[in-house]
Amino acid sequence: MSQPLNIIGISGSLRALSHSRILLRAIADFLPANTGFHELDIGALPHYNEDLDGHRSPDSVVNARQVVERADAVVIVTPEFNHGLPGVLKNTLDWLSRPAFASCFIKKPVMFATVSPGALGGVRAQYQMRETLSSMLCQLYPLVEIAVTHIDRKFEGARLVDDATSGHIRKVTGSFLEQAQLASGTAA
């Protein structure tokens, strides 16, 4: 029997009912019942400023780093804005990537998904996300990517209703959880 994982979720959008947040919550619903899940409030983080980093880091940054440090894994869902990552998500990753080579993301298992109302599903944001996370030295597993196309057609209200999308996300999430459990030492 494996020990439950503690997972932190990050939505790349600040909107309360954004497609990213709804999909992040759908992923949380796919997790085993004993899995801890908490969404990080990236809107609480100030604009990255190296003058504020280090010994004088804002409380919101210190708290975010501690939450990620204590987590067994991180799940990120983001829209693609102008062919890339939203500024608020990049800002969050900039704060959490410090101190360089010793951040809360070092060797942390991370799974991410992108969403878009268009036909590409945020693949350009996927590329930027992979580059950014690789530089943060987190653990990225060779999983099938989750790039959800035509996202506006896959929800009814705040509920994911597209069976093919749900099935794909469940499968990838299951593979990720297996890898995260092995990495965290919680596997039986």
Side-chain angles (χ1 to χ4, degrees):
M1 183 102 183
S2 60
Q3 296 294 316
L5 290 173
N6 177 30
I7 296 180
I8 296 303
I10 299 174
S11 170
S13 175
L14 296 177
R15 288 182 40 238
L17 291 176
S18 70
H19 291 127
S20 297
R21 180 157 286 117
I22 293 169
L23 187 59
L24 180 63
R25 290 178 182 160
I27 291 171
D29 289 342
F30 296 156
L31 299 173
N34 63 347
T35 304
F37 183 84
H38 173 76
E39 187 177 339
L40 189 67
D41 179 10
I42 67 173
L45 303 176
H47 294 294
Y48 182 75
N49 179 345
E50 193 171 9
D51 290 342
L52 300 178
D53 204 0
H55 299 296
R56 302 180 310 210
S57 295
D59 289 343
S60 60
V61 172
V62 171
N63 292 337
R65 287 174 175 164
Q66 289 172 347
V67 165
V68 172
E69 181 68 36
R70 289 190 302 262
D72 296 308
V74 177
V75 174
I76 302 170
V77 180
T78 187
E80 178 179 284
F81 288 172
N82 299 312
H83 295 200
L85 293 177
V88 68
L89 177 59
K90 182 63 169 81
N91 181 66
T92 298
L93 296 175
D94 288 344
W95 275 116
L96 297 177
S97 71
R98 304 288 184 245
F101 307 108
S103 79
C104 58
F105 264 82
I106 293 281
K107 298 183 182 178
K108 186 74 61 183
V110 178
M111 178 181 94
F112 62 89
T114 54
V115 300
S116 171
L120 298 179
V123 295
R124 293 167 290 226
Q126 287 252 343
Y127 174 77
Q128 288 182 0
M129 179 77 78
R130 187 168 299 285
E131 288 295 310
T132 299
L133 293 172
S134 293
S135 75
M136 292 168 67
L137 305 176
C138 65
Q139 184 67 49
L140 295 173
Y141 301 111
L143 300 170
V144 176
E145 293 179 344
I146 301 173
V148 184
T149 63
H150 305 293
I151 191 72
D152 51 330
R153 301 179 196 166
K154 303 201 174 162
F155 292 99
E156 284 182 8
R159 195 169 59 86
L160 178 62
V161 295
D162 186 77
D163 291 337
T165 300
S166 293
H168 176 67
I169 292 171
R170 280 180 194 272
K171 182 178 178 182
V172 175
T173 301
S175 295
F176 172 71
L177 291 175
E178 289 173 12
Q179 296 297 320
Q181 285 180 323
L182 290 172
S184 71
T186 62

